[in-house]
Amino acid sequence: MTPKLAGPVVRSWRALPRPARIVLARVALIPPQLFGVLLVTFVLVRLLPGDPALLLLGNMATPEAVASLRQKLGLDQGVAVQFVRYLGRILHGDLGTSIFTSHPVVQDLIERAPATLELITYAMILTIVIGVGLAILAVIGRGGVADHLTRLYGMAAGALPDFWVGLLMIYFLFHIAGWAPAPFGRIDTYLTPPPTITGFYTLDSLLTGNWSDFTSSAGRLVLPVATITIVNAGGVMKMTQTAFAGIYDSPFIRHARACGLPQCRIVAMSLKNSLPPIITTAGFLFGFLLGAAVLVETIFAWGGLGQYAVQAVINSDYPALQGFVMLAAVFVLLVYLVVDVLYELVDPRIRI
Amino acid sequence: MTATLEVERLGVSFGPSGAPRQVLHDVSFRLEHNEILGIVGETGAGKSVLAHALVGLLPGDGRVTDGVVRFEGRALADMSQRERQRLRGGTISLIGTNAKALLDPVARVGTQIARVLRTHRPCPARQAWRQAVELLGQVGIVDPAARARAYPHELSGGMAQRVVIAMALITRPGIILADDATLGLDATVQVQVLDLLVQRSRMLGVSVILITHDLGIVAHYCDRVAIMRAGRIEELRPVQGFLGRPDTPYSESLLAAARARPVPAEQRHAGKADKLLVVENLLKLFQVGGTQPPVRAVDDVSFSLERGETLALVGESGSGKTTIGQCLLRLLAPTGGSVRFDGQEIAGLSEAHFRPLRRRMQMVFQEPYVALNPRWSVLDLVSEPLALLGHHSRSQRLQRVEELLEMVQLSRDLARCYPHELTAGEQKRIGIARALATEPDFVVFDEPTTALDIRVRAQIIDLIRSLQSRMGLSALFITHDLNSVRSLAHNVVVLNRGRIVERGETEAIFASPQQRYTRTLLAAELPIEWSASRRAGAATVANPVSEHSA
Amino acid sequence: MTFRFWLRRPAATLGAALLLLQVIAIVFAGMLAPYSPTMADPLHSLEPPSWQHPLGTDVSGMDVLSRIIFATRINLLVSITAVAAAFLIGVPVGLLIGFYRTIASTLVMRLFDFIQSFPVFVLGMALVSVLGQEIWNVALVLAILFVPVFARLVRAEVLSLRERPFISAARCSGAGDISVMFRHILPNAMTPALVQLSISIGMAILLTAGLSFIGAGVRMPTPEWGLMVSSGAQQLILGVWWVSLFPGIAIVLAVLCFALLGDQLRIFLDPTKRAPGKAR
C-alpha cells in the first residue's frame, strides 16, 4: 500500500494516527476509480449504433439542435477530444437533458435520490439485523430447530425473485387482508410531503412534528422494505453464518470457554471477530440493493432513481440512463470506501 | 486429605448413541496437591479428550459415559452450569497448543487477561489491568506495561505462550492443565516456557498436569507419569522408577524410541574426498515491501558436501535452513553466491536448463500431507518423477512403484490410496519414495522427523539410515531435532539468523560445542538420559528473557 | 443408485427431480402444452384456473400453463448458455492471471474489479438497453457479467495453491509450467468454480426474468417467465392472481433446483469426503 516515498514523507506518514492513515490511503484511490467510472459511462453511449447526437436528443429533435449537440460533443473530432469534452461537461455538472422529462438529468437525479436512499437504507438495516441475528441463532443452537429452519430459509430466499415477492405481498397483505397501505408511492396522495431537510420523509416528518405524514410514509415503507429484506436477508445470513461459525469453533473461543468466560461474552467476542466479513457483505449488499430498488420501485410506484432508470430504458432515454449508471457507480465507490475504512479499523492485524 | 483432583473409572464416547465410539476407557488417577503429573501418549491416545473431559468441554457429541471426576471431593457431574463455568479458569486452567491461536486476535492481551480475572473475581477494570500487567512481568515479559497493550499478532510464539500462562495463573487456580502447551515452539523457547510454568506453579502451590508426547519433558519436570494408549492408562508411576524400568512392553518401546539412537551415523567408506556440492557465499534476500530493508534470510553461507556424506543444517525457526535447501533445488532463486553441483554451476541456471539435473537432485518435504497433491493416488504420486527418466511403459512404472513402496517399507496395497487416507508416517514415507524414485545422487531432507510421534520418528530415522548405507546417498539434512542429527549426520553446520555459527564433525560438536549459541541449543534438548541433573536446575529461578516480536 | 440412495439424500433427490422436470419441459414442450404459447384469444381473457385452462389465461387470453412450459426453453437456455460461456472463458483466464503474475494479469484483474463494482442489475439493464433488447443480447450481457465471477474464484484458488508445498514437490519431480498448471493446480482449483456454476445459473435465471420484468429483455408475446409475471402485475390488485403467481413459482423452482444441485456438487467434489481405496 505504501509507495516508495522519501524518508521525511515516510516519517510524517508514520506519525499520523492509524485511523487517519487508513482514510487517507483509501481516499487517494478515489480519483483513478472515478476516472474509470467516467470512461465506462462514456464508452457505454459510444456502443450505440448510429449518431450519438441524434440518439441523445431523441427522434423529435430539430436538425439545428442535432448539429449544435454534435459540435458540443465534438463528434467531428477524435475520440480523445470527445472524451475530454465529456469530462469537462461532467465537471460542470452537465449530464445532458432527459428526453423523457425534458429536465436536466442532474436535476432529475437529485430530486429522486432521497426516495431511493430512504428505501434502501431502511431495507439494508433490517436485512443486516435479521440476517446476522438469524446466523447467530443458527450457530449457537446448532443441530436444533433454529438451525434447520434457517437453513431452509437460506436456501429458499436465494431462489425468490424480488419483483414476484413484492407482488405477492401486495396481493395478500393489501388486496386480500387489507392490512398494508396501497402500493402507490411514498406517501398518501392527499397529504403534502414534509419539507425537505434530509430528504427522508420519515425523518423530515418527525423533525417537523407532522405525525400524519410520518405514519403514512412509514406505512408505505413497510411492504417494499419487507420485500427487499425477505429476499436478501437469506444471503446475508448464509455469509455471516459461515464466518461466524468459523470463529465460533476456533481455538481461541474454545480457550475462552475453558477460561470460564460466560456465553454472552463469547458470543460478543465471536461477533467482533466476524465483523470484517460482515462489513464486506454489508457493503456489497448496499450496492446490490440499488439494483434491487429498480425492480421494487417499479412495483410500488416509488418515484425514485430505480423507476427513473426503468423509464429511461423503456423510452431509450440515453442521457438519463447514462446519468443513472454514473450515479450508481459513484455511489458504490463511496460505499466501498466506507467499507474498506471500517474493515481496516476493526482489524488491528492489517498494516497500513 | 482429599486429592485436588480425582478421576475414577472415566469413560468417554463419541458418535451416535446407537453405535458409540468409546475414546476413553476406565481412566483413573489422583492428582495430589502441589504435584506435577505427566500424561504421555501418541497421537490418538485420547490425551486431549481427557483434558477436555476434565474441564467439562468435550467437543461435538462427546459425552462422559462412565465414572466420576471430583475436584476437592466435589463431583463435576453434580455441578450446575454456572458452577462449572466458575470451575473453568477458576479452579482448573487449561493451557493449549499453539498459543497464538488461543488469543482473541482483535483484543489487547492485557484486556484478555483482565477479562478472565474479572469473570472469576469481579473487580474494577483498572485494578484488573494493573494485576494483569504485574503478572505479565512475573511470567518473564519485558516491559509488561507496554506489552499488555499489544495485539496477539504482534507477539512471538514464546511470548504468546507466556500470555496464555498468565491467563491461566491470574485467578490463582488449584490445577493447571497444560495440553501439549509447548508443541511447535523452538527447543530453547520450550525450555524457558516450561521452566517458568513449573517454577511458578511450585511457588504458588498449584498442581500441574503436563500432557505431552515427549518423554524428555516428563523426565525433566514431572513427579509422576501416566502412559496412555488407545484411551486407557497403561501405567502410572513415579518418574524415576518408570525411567529405570518400565512395567509394560509398550512403555519399554516408547522409551527405546525416545533414547538417542545408540549407534552414531555410519562411517563413510574411506575413499577419495570427492566434492559433490559446493556452496559459496550463498545469499538470499526477501523484500518485505515498503520502506524496510530486505530480510537477509541466508547471509553469506558457504559449505560443501562430499559424495556419500550426510551434512546436517541445524538451527531454530527463522535460521534460514529451509531457505538454503530451497535455493539449492531452485525452488527459490538465490540472490547471490555460487552453487556447484558435480562441477557444474547451477545458481544462475534457467529452469529449462536445470530440469535435467532434477533427476539427480531431490528433496523430501517438511510437512508430509501438504507436500502431496490431495487429488492424486499414491501410484500417480510416486510415478510422477519417473517421467523424468522417460521411456517407462505402464507396467514398468507400476513395477517400479511397487519396488519403491517396498523400499520405504509400505504395503503395495497403498498404491490406490489418496494422501488423506494415510497416517503421517505413511505420508512421510511416500515423500521419501518420491524423492528416491529417480535414484538421485543428492537428497535434501527437510525436517524429516518433526511433528511425528516418538515411535514413528524412530522408524523414519531407521529407514533413512538403512537407505544411506544401501544407496550411498549424499544428503543434506535440515532439522532442529538434535537427537536425530546424532543418528544421521556425519557433519553439522549450525545456523542462526541466516549465518553459520559453527561447523564440524557431529560427535565433536556434541561433545564440545565452541560457540555460546550452539551450547544454548544443546542445553535446550531434553533427552531422557540427562534428567536427574536438569531436574534440580528446573527448580531454580528462570530468568526473564527478552524475545524479538514476530 | 438404488431407491434408498435417493431417499437418504432428500436435497439431491429434489434437485434431480426438478432438473428432470425442466429437461422434459424443454424437450417435449410442443407435446405437453395444451395450447399455443403465443396465440391470443380475446374471448377467453383473464379466465381463472379451470379444467380447460389449468392455470388460467392472461389478459390477451393466452394459456398460462402453455406459456410457462414453453418459457422454460428461453429462460433456461439463455441462462445456461450465458453461464457456460462465462465459465469457459473465466476459468482459463483466472488460471492464467493467477499463475503468471505480470502487469497484464494485474490489468485484467483491475478490469474485473471494475465490472464488478457496478451493481449487477444496473449494469445488465444498461448494457441490454444499449445493445438492443433482444434475447441473445441478454445472454451476451449475462456472460460478460459472469466472466469476472469465475475468473476471480479460480484466480484466488490458484494464488493459494501455487504457494503450497506440493507444487514445489511437483517441480522437484520434474513438472513444468504446463503440467503444474493443468495437472496439479487446475483440478484442485476447480471446486469453487464448479459449485459457482450452478449458483450462477440460478442467478442468471433471476436476472433474465428481472430484466424482462422491467421491459429490458424480451417483448410480448414471447413466452418468458419474468415477462409473464409483469403482464399480470396490473391486474393483481383487481384480484387476478394466477397470471403472476404461477410463472413466479416456475422461477423459484428453477433457481432452487440449481441451488440444491450446487450444494450436492460441493459435497461430491471434496476429495477428503470420497473414499476410494482403503477405508480407515
Side-chain angles (χ1 to χ4, degrees), chain A residues 6-307:
Chain A
V9 181
V10 171
R11 244 169 285 132
S12 50
W13 173 253
R14 289 271 153 72
L16 287 172
R18 191 177 127 90
R21 275 181 285 160
I22 290 172
V23 174
L24 283 178
R26 283 293 146 187
V27 169
L29 287 178
I30 288 280
Q33 287 174 322
L34 212 52
F35 182 81
V37 167
L38 297 179
L39 188 63
V40 166
T41 45
F42 173 74
V43 171
L44 195 67
V45 171
R46 302 284 313 176
L47 283 178
L48 289 166
D51 182 349
L54 193 59
L55 286 162
L56 286 175
L57 287 174
N59 291 331
M60 314 295 276
T62 59
E64 294 80 47
V66 173
S68 125
L69 184 63
R70 281 185 66 86
Q71 211 209 332
K72 196 172 153 198
L73 295 177
L75 288 182
D76 41 358
Q77 294 170 53
V79 177
V81 176
Q82 294 177 33
F83 184 56
V84 171
R85 291 201 181 183
Y86 172 75
L87 289 185
R89 275 182 293 120
I90 285 172
L91 287 180
H92 288 95
D94 176 10
L95 293 177
T97 305
S98 161
I99 300 169
F100 185 65
T101 64
S102 324
H103 295 302
V105 171
V106 175
Q107 188 193 325
D108 280 349
L109 293 176
I110 291 175
E111 271 173 17
R112 287 165 174 77
T116 303
L117 278 179
E118 183 172 30
L119 175 64
I120 62 178
T121 304
Y122 285 118
M124 168 145 130
I125 292 170
L126 203 61
T127 306
I128 297 285
V129 168
I130 291 182
V132 172
L134 286 180
I136 293 175
L137 282 183
V139 171
I140 291 175
R142 216 172 326 199
V145 184
D147 189 12
H148 289 293
L149 286 181
T150 51
R151 192 170 306 166
L152 217 59
Y153 168 60
M155 176 107 333
L160 293 174
D162 34 18
F163 54 92
W164 184 67
V165 173
L167 289 176
L168 290 189
M169 299 254 259
I170 291 172
Y171 180 72
F172 287 110
L173 298 180
F174 169 67
H175 179 76
I176 302 272
W179 295 336
F184 307 124
R186 302 169 70 190
I187 195 161
D188 280 307
T189 36
Y190 56 83
L191 291 171
T192 331
T196 306
I197 303 169
T198 60
F200 284 26
Y201 281 4
T202 43
L203 293 183
D204 291 347
S205 57
L206 275 185
L207 289 174
T208 54
N210 188 337
W211 187 248
S212 56
D213 269 10
F214 175 74
T215 46
S216 169
S217 55
R220 290 294 178 98
L221 271 167
V222 171
L223 283 193
V225 167
T227 304
I228 296 180
T229 305
I230 288 173
V231 172
N232 293 298
V236 172
M237 183 192 79
K238 280 201 271 188
M239 300 272 228
T240 311
Q241 208 173 344
T242 316
F244 188 79
I247 299 282
Y248 198 69
D249 292 336
S250 64
F252 75 86
I253 291 295
R254 263 180 290 158
H255 184 242
R257 225 177 251 125
C259 286
L261 295 189
Q263 175 75 357
C264 55
R265 243 277 129 67
I266 283 173
V267 171
M269 267 170 80
S270 311
L271 192 59
K272 195 174 175 200
N273 275 280
S274 334
L275 273 183
I278 294 177
I279 290 173
T280 311
T281 311
F284 174 77
L285 182 73
F286 215 18
F288 183 80
L289 288 189
L290 204 59
V294 173
L295 289 162
V296 174
E297 283 189 13
T298 310
I299 295 165
F300 292 94
W302 199 250
L305 292 172
Q307 218 181 340

Side-chain angles (χ1 to χ4, degrees), chain B residues 10 18 57 80 82 104 162 222 252 293 335 369 483-484 486 535 537:
Chain B
L10 184 69
L57 281 178
S80 68
R82 195 152 168 71
D104 182 350
R162 284 163 201 266
C222 297
E252 183 80 65
T335 313
Y369 180 62
N483 206 350
S484 60
R486 253 183 143 165
R535 268 170 57 74

Side-chain angles (χ1 to χ4, degrees), chain C residues 16-33 68-73 76:
Chain C
L18 286 172
L19 187 66
L20 189 70
L21 204 67
Q22 294 178 69
V23 170
I24 291 174
I26 289 175
V27 177
F28 302 106
M31 288 152 73
L32 288 172
I68 287 179
I69 292 175
F70 271 96
T72 315
R73 288 189 173 168
L76 243 58

Side-chain angles (χ1 to χ4, degrees), chain B residues 370-407:
Chain B
V370 290
L372 301 174
N373 188 335
R375 282 173 194 275
W376 283 29
S377 68
V378 167
L379 175 64
D380 293 334
L381 285 166
V382 181
S383 324
E384 190 186 27
L386 295 179
L388 272 178
L389 296 170
H391 49 266
H392 269 88
S393 76
R394 203 183 142 66
S395 61
Q396 278 173 317
R397 262 209 316 269
L398 197 67
Q399 195 194 343
R400 178 80 183 121
V401 168
E402 285 181 355
E403 280 169 29
L404 286 163
L405 288 182
E406 194 186 328
M407 189 158 79

Side-chain angles (χ1 to χ4, degrees), chain B residues 329 331 355 358 362 365 369-376 384-385 388 414 416-418 420-421 423 426 434, chain C residues 165-166 168-176 179 183-184 187-188 191 269 271-272 274-278 280:
Chain B
L329 285 175
L331 297 171
R355 184 91 67 87
R358 291 217 181 271
Q362 284 289 333
F365 284 82
Y369 180 62
V370 290
L372 301 174
N373 188 335
R375 282 173 194 275
W376 283 29
E384 190 186 27
L388 272 178
L414 289 183
R416 287 184 301 115
C417 290
Y418 287 84
H420 70 271
E421 299 169 298
T423 63
E426 287 169 339
R434 259 166 77 89
Chain C
F166 78 81
S168 298
R171 290 236 180 249
C172 274
S173 302
S179 171
R183 298 185 62 214
H184 286 279
N188 282 294
T191 305
L269 289 175
T272 59
R274 274 179 306 167
K278 177 180 66 168
R280 268 177 199 276

Side-chain angles (χ1 to χ4, degrees), chain A residues 2-5 10 14 250-263 265 269 272-273 346-351, chain B residues 52 55 57 85 88-90 92-96 101-106 115-116 119-120 151 153 164 167 290-292 550:
Chain A
T2 330
K4 282 189 181 163
L5 299 169
V10 171
R14 289 271 153 72
S250 64
F252 75 86
I253 291 295
R254 263 180 290 158
H255 184 242
R257 225 177 251 125
C259 286
L261 295 189
Q263 175 75 357
R265 243 277 129 67
M269 267 170 80
K272 195 174 175 200
N273 275 280
V346 299
D347 194 341
R349 282 164 293 189
I350 294 176
R351 279 203 185 175
Chain B
H52 285 95
V55 293
L57 281 178
Q85 187 203 314
R88 295 197 278 267
I92 178 166
S93 294
L94 182 67
I95 302 176
L102 299 181
L103 297 171
D104 182 350
V106 301
R115 204 147 67 181
V116 177
T119 303
H120 295 280
Y151 288 99
H153 70 277
V164 172
M167 280 173 93
T291 47
Q292 283 113 332

Side-chain angles (χ1 to χ4, degrees), chain B residues 83 164 193 205 239 287 290 437 450 500:
Chain B
E83 280 176 303
V164 172
V193 167
V239 169
Q287 291 294 339
T450 33
I500 294 185

